[in-house]
Amino acid sequence: VNVGVDGLRVRSANFEMIGGSVHNLHDYRLTTWISLDAFAKNAKVQGVTVNVHGTTGSIGGAGSVFDGNIIRNGTLQVTAANVTITGNNGTTNDWVRNVTQRYIDVQNANCLAAGNTLNGESTVTTAASNTNDGTSSTTGIYLTGASSTGFVAGPNQISATANAIEAHSSFVGTATFSGGRYYSTDLVHNSNNESCRFAAGNGANITIQGVTFDALTKSDEVWFGGTSSAKYTVKNCEVLCEMEFDAALTTASTVEGNNFADGTQAVDFADAGTRIINNDFALAPTLTGALLYTRDNRVAGSAITSVALAANQDNYAWPITDTVVFTTTGTNNYAITGVVARAPGSIINVVNGDAADNVTISHDVTSTDANRFNVNVGSDAVYGPDDDGSYIATGGVNTGWSGN
């Protein structure tokens, strides 16, 4: 199909295009390279080579399938439910050249995108004949609208010049991303310095498992935020760039079993109540959120953090590891009067690794009430060399830690 203005318009059910090509004869981009309206249910487009100029494929037919196509400079906008997008390929500088677009724009329910390899521009490309010349700002998978719930992404390989994934604030449903790699080439350096942006609306619930996150500029972060009740679960992922959970989130998310492998980039938990469990961090994360739950985490392969005390500590900011081995500077004994409160059930282990001096956990003094210790014996716990003790977060208003 060689077209000059628009591509195919389909207005009846069960249409199939198997093989062949859609080619744009003009230098400017079409309105759509294919348009399936609401009557075009259960359409199938398979094994087609599409070579156009930054043009949208509009999928309005419920139950349609786009499988195994080569799509150069084209996008897919999904306005119908139950659409399947699998095994499509767009090579570097082919998929969306020189136009601000979204590779897969999902606006309706129960859609699937799996096994797609879609690569955005890796270099600035210009041509005098193309009216859309200039560096393109592309998003990989884009979730938007109240209807786009039940989205499932299989192991896609997607790179984008801006965000490899974006969940818009209007997205309030469920989504699952399993496997694959999402990468930002940072050709268009977005103002928020993000490689992926999860800004979902109230009630949204997004699960991400077994995914690799990466960016050419490692400081471009995978950002989780949006409205207060958005909830995220991130499990068993490989994270090769920064990641942040924003302070606006007040519904507890879960971060479990991940490998934060880049030793130069920070991970920041600024939200409330996130469950941070059994992760490996190349670099110790920043913990500024309220009532975080932490358990069984490691930094640089170690489940223990070593700290040299140089003064008494009020409202001590405990690190991500459960266990801290304390020493003291000089020949001094020091006390810890409280630890910044964690979510109930969090456990910290105090070990005195000093050869001669004492470390004391003070009972119910000095620190902010919710950060204080309730030592079971009702008085200070003094730990001599090689002594240790454990404390559990209780969520108490007057004392937030209990132990001996």
Side-chain angles (χ1 to χ4, degrees):
V1 179
N2 296 319
V3 292
V5 179
D6 275 328
L8 301 168
R9 289 188 176 184
V10 183
R11 295 177 175 174
S12 59
N14 301 312
F15 167 82
E16 292 188 358
M17 183 174 182
I18 311 298
S21 64
V22 178
H23 180 67
N24 180 202
L25 295 177
H26 285 281
D27 292 328
Y28 54 84
R29 64 189 177 99
L30 310 173
T31 304
T32 56
W33 64 266
I34 189 169
S35 177
L36 307 178
D37 73 11
F39 295 104
K41 298 178 180 179
N42 303 315
K44 178 185 285 188
V45 179
Q46 186 175 47
V48 175
T49 297
V50 180
N51 193 358
V52 290
H53 289 276
T55 303
T56 298
S58 179
I59 309 174
S64 295
V65 175
F66 279 65
D67 176 65
N69 304 289
I70 298 173
I71 306 176
R72 297 188 175 113
N73 298 328
T75 65
L76 297 174
Q77 183 183 71
V78 183
T79 58
N82 303 305
V83 171
T84 298
I85 301 169
T86 52
N88 300 285
N89 184 278
T91 56
T92 301
N93 290 338
D94 281 342
W95 184 245
V96 186
R97 178 179 288 182
N98 298 322
V99 63
T100 299
Q101 286 278 15
R102 296 150 185 165
Y103 297 162
I104 300 173
D105 184 349
V106 180
Q107 302 178 16
N108 215 318
N110 303 320
C111 295
L112 168 69
N116 302 287
T117 300
L118 309 173
N119 295 317
E121 292 182 275
S122 58
T123 58
V124 176
T125 307
T126 60
S129 60
N130 188 337
T131 59
N132 292 295
D133 278 346
T135 303
S136 61
S137 175
T138 58
T139 298
I141 293 177
Y142 186 79
L143 303 178
T144 184
S147 299
S148 56
T149 190
F151 175 75
V152 175
N156 300 291
Q157 304 291 322
I158 292 181
S159 67
T161 61
N163 293 320
I165 303 171
E166 181 172 352
H168 189 262
S169 59
S170 63
F171 177 79
V172 293
T174 62
T176 301
F177 292 82
S178 297
R181 179 175 182 264
Y182 294 88
Y183 180 84
S184 175
T185 66
D186 196 34
L187 184 61
V188 177
H189 193 77
N190 63 72
S191 60
N192 295 315
N193 299 332
E194 296 157 356
S195 61
C196 292
R197 179 176 176 81
F198 295 90
N202 280 323
N205 193 335
I206 298 177
T207 298
I208 303 163
Q209 51 195 14
V211 165
T212 296
F213 290 112
D214 200 359
L216 182 64
T217 302
K218 298 299 183 181
S219 58
D220 282 355
E221 64 188 13
V222 181
W223 185 82
F224 294 93
T227 51
S228 59
S229 68
K231 182 178 181 180
Y232 303 101
T233 300
V234 182
K235 287 189 174 184
N236 304 321
C237 293
E238 187 83 1
V239 183
L240 302 173
C241 55
E242 287 194 6
M243 181 174 285
E244 178 185 356
F245 284 77
D246 190 75
L249 296 173
T250 58
T251 299
S253 294
T254 298
V255 180
E256 182 174 358
N258 303 286
N259 182 26
F260 296 89
D262 193 312
T264 64
Q265 302 305 325
V267 181
D268 186 7
F269 297 98
D271 60 323
T274 290
R275 297 174 59 82
I276 311 166
I277 305 168
N278 192 31
N279 299 283
D280 283 284
F281 297 92
L283 186 70
T286 302
L287 307 173
T288 56
L291 293 177
L292 300 172
Y293 179 90
T294 59
R295 193 72 184 265
D296 298 331
N297 297 288
R298 295 162 295 281
V299 176
S302 177
I304 297 171
T305 300
S306 297
V307 174
L309 292 175
N312 295 329
Q313 300 293 316
D314 291 340
N315 304 309
Y316 182 67
W318 199 269
I320 191 66
T321 59
D322 298 344
T323 301
V324 174
V325 176
F326 292 100
T327 56
T328 66
T329 58
T331 57
N332 299 299
N333 301 316
Y334 290 117
I336 301 172
T337 68
V339 167
V340 175
R342 298 268 171 97
S346 296
I347 291 176
I348 58 174
N349 303 310
V350 177
V351 179
N352 184 0
D354 199 90
D357 302 310
N358 297 331
V359 174
T360 297
I361 297 298
S362 300
H363 173 73
D364 196 16
V365 294
T366 314
S367 284
T368 303
D369 286 356
N371 299 340
R372 293 184 182 186
F373 291 100
N374 176 21
V375 183
N376 289 344
V377 295
S379 59
D380 297 348
V382 179
Y383 296 100
D386 297 326
D387 286 346
D388 63 87
S390 296
Y391 296 83
I392 187 169
T394 63
V397 175
N398 295 320
T399 56
W401 298 91
S402 179
N404 53 49

